[in-house]
Each structure stands twice: as C-alpha cells, then as structure tokens.
Amino acid sequence: MTDELDRLLTESLHDAAECAPSAAGLLAAVHSRSRRYRRRRVVAAAVSLVAAIAAGNLIVGRPDPAIPTSALMSGWAAPIFPYTLPATDGMRAPVASMTAGEVSAFFEATELRDHADVTVTVSATAPASATGSLRVRGHPATLRTVDVEPAKRLSLYWQEAAGQWIELETDDTYTPAQVVALAGSLKPAVIPVLPPFELGLIPVGLVTDTVSASRMTFRAPSAPPGTAGLSTVLRRKQQLKGINKTIDGYDAVLARAGANVTLSIDVPDWNATLVITVGNGFTMSDDDLIRYASAIQVLNRSDPE
C-alpha cells in the first residue's frame, strides 16, 4: 500500500506542477482565468468541518515560543486528501481543499438527474453526536437529513479508524441506501490540495491551516485551527490609500493596527489586491514580510474573493 500511495502522490504532484504558469518573476499575475466552479446546489453552503490536526492553545498577543520570528524557508508541501470515489461519467474528478486545519474533497456532479454534488471530509475528532444506527464499511454510522431548499441535505458520518472520522454530504438526489453505497465505495488515494499561489518562501515553524481558491493561511502548531498567524488572500480590487511601498514594481501599503501588520499589494493584471496579514501572536520583520510577498506568484487557478 505504501508503494501505491507513493506512486499516486508522485503522479498527483506532477499533474499539479503542470498547472502552474510558466511565466517567471515575482508576483507574476497570469492573464488566463481558471473557470469558476458553478454554485453548489446544497453542500457548498452547508459543509460542516471539524478539526483534523490536534492543537493546543495560543496566548493571544504573544509569539509562540517554539516559533522563530522573522524566519523564512522554501519548500511548502501541499496537504493531502486520502480518499476518492470511483470515477464515473456523471461526476468530475475531486477538488481538495483545506479549512481551519481540515481537508475535504468536492466531487461535482455533471449529470444532475442521477447524480449530485458530494463532499467528503476526513477529521481527527468525532462529531457532536454519533448514534451509530447504520453500518458503513463495517463501522457504526449515523445518517442525518436536514430539510433545506432546494433539496434536502444528507450527511453520513462514521469512525473509519482510530483518530479518523469521515463525513460524506450530498442531497436527496440519492436515497439513503445510495448514500451508504457511496460511502462504501471510497478507496485510498493521494489528492493534493492545490494552492492559489506559488509560495517561494514560507515561515519557519508554522503549519498550513487553510488553502482555498483565494487564500492560504498558516498558524502556530499550538494555536487552535482557524487561528491564522500569517494569512495571504487575493481579494477583488481595493483602492489603496497612503501607498508607502513598492513590491517588485507594484504599489503597496504597509499598515499596522495594534499587534497586527497588513501588507496590501495592487495586482492590476488580475484587477485584484493581494492582502497579507501578520497577527494572532506571530511576528515578522518588515524586511521578511516584503521578502515573503516578493516571492509569491499568483496561479491561474486563483479566484479573488
């Protein structure tokens, strides 16, 4: 199994590398836009995620003593989603993401009469309530139905192994029996979470917390998931005021608000603004913040929020 996962990881990362633009340069804004996934009918607005990485507490306003401040290195590693559903003509290949330290995969339906969007989340912690009224993959499982528009939401979750819970969400295009069958069809895979940016440098000692089509955030290992010590977000264009920096030819504003520092950079080719924020107890020198920003390349899969 280890050899097979290694092979899948190699192939997945090779495919991801081919998606990156070839243009060199720092903060290179590509002109081609990735297609934007259609609005999810149900699950995208309702996916409930739980922590996948054990964490302690962070004392707000003080740096984590285990983290060197103002230290950068190269070599960001993509988080991995470890399962997939069997390929079918009615579903797209999965798209993995990470939110507040947890990974999930979204399977978009292309044929809507017999198929529906499916989101699968892998977690290290149990849900708030688990009655175990069903059996899934040999384990007790719980199926919940939430009556919402335009379709009821079905949520199936179970403990797959010690320290690993899985939740599968879809809508009532599927019957409960079909949802259980979907869960039973999950198989091991290596699906990397593809980032919106190529990071030339990353902070030493922080862990990846969130990766989406518009943002990447990092936190201290001791901080609760969702506590971003360093966040990088591609936003729709903002009017910069008080320009006081130039980052590789791009206008920028470096501003402070209490213990937080924000660097906002105009990215005209994307009609967007790259906003980098340092806070929640993490500190970074201005020089390292500018070095970090200068080594960012916006990829064509990005989608400003």
Side-chain angles (χ1 to χ4, degrees):
M1 177 64 74
T2 299
D3 291 341
E4 177 65 11
L5 291 178
D6 288 342
R7 181 185 67 78
L8 289 170
L9 177 57
T10 300
E11 292 177 355
S12 297
L13 294 180
H14 175 74
D15 293 342
E18 291 180 346
C19 294
S22 59
L26 306 177
L27 276 172
V30 295
H31 295 279
S32 61
R33 299 291 195 268
S34 60
R35 72 171 185 84
R36 298 183 180 181
Y37 289 100
R38 66 178 175 80
R39 184 177 298 276
R40 313 330 185 201
R41 293 188 300 156
V42 177
V43 295
V47 175
S48 176
L49 298 172
V50 287
I53 300 176
N57 292 321
L58 175 70
I59 300 175
V60 177
R62 293 175 53 191
D64 188 309
I67 300 175
T69 61
S70 298
L72 299 171
M73 66 179 187
S74 60
W76 180 77
I80 298 297
F81 186 82
Y83 293 98
T84 192
L85 293 171
T88 172
D89 290 340
M91 305 282 283
R92 295 190 188 278
V95 176
S97 61
M98 186 177 197
T99 302
E102 27 184 69
V103 288
S104 62
F106 178 73
F107 300 79
E108 183 183 14
T110 58
E111 189 283 308
L112 300 180
R113 193 180 75 172
D114 298 318
H115 296 83
D117 297 342
V118 175
T119 299
V120 182
T121 301
V122 177
S123 170
T125 57
S129 174
T131 60
S133 58
L134 299 172
R135 300 290 293 183
V136 171
R137 302 164 65 89
H139 307 290
T142 300
L143 178 64
R144 288 178 176 171
T145 301
V146 180
D147 193 359
V148 294
E149 295 294 338
K152 291 181 180 179
R153 185 176 78 251
L154 303 180
S155 176
L156 178 68
Y157 50 91
W158 68 97
Q159 186 173 12
E160 178 72 10
Q164 186 185 84
W165 288 78
I166 300 179
E167 181 175 22
L168 186 152
E169 286 200 329
T170 185
D171 67 36
D172 63 358
T173 300
Y174 297 118
T175 65
Q178 288 174 318
V179 173
V180 171
L182 273 176
S185 69
L186 284 171
K187 58 184 181 180
V190 176
I191 303 173
V193 176
L194 300 181
F197 320 119
E198 180 178 323
L199 301 182
L201 296 170
I202 58 173
V204 172
L206 297 188
V207 298
T208 305
D209 184 81
T210 294
V211 182
S212 70
S214 61
R215 64 175 55 217
M216 297 179 72
T217 70
F218 299 88
R219 61 177 170 83
S222 60
T227 306
L230 175 67
S231 69
T232 303
V233 184
L234 189 66
R235 299 189 182 278
R236 294 185 179 91
K237 186 176 179 63
Q238 302 175 353
Q239 187 64 43
L240 298 185
K241 297 181 179 179
I243 294 170
N244 54 13
K245 297 290 180 182
T246 300
I247 311 295
D248 297 319
Y250 294 88
D251 290 339
V253 175
L254 181 65
R256 287 178 172 78
N260 295 338
V261 180
T262 300
L263 179 63
S264 302
I265 308 167
D266 185 38
V267 189
D269 291 342
W270 270 87
N271 194 31
T273 303
L274 191 67
V275 180
I276 304 169
T277 303
V278 179
N280 285 322
F282 180 63
T283 61
M284 187 182 245
S285 70
D286 290 355
D287 287 345
D288 276 349
L289 178 56
I290 291 172
R291 286 177 58 220
Y292 170 79
S294 296
I296 296 173
Q297 182 175 337
V298 180
L299 300 179
N300 61 0
R301 68 175 71 94
S302 298
D303 188 1
E305 62 180 59

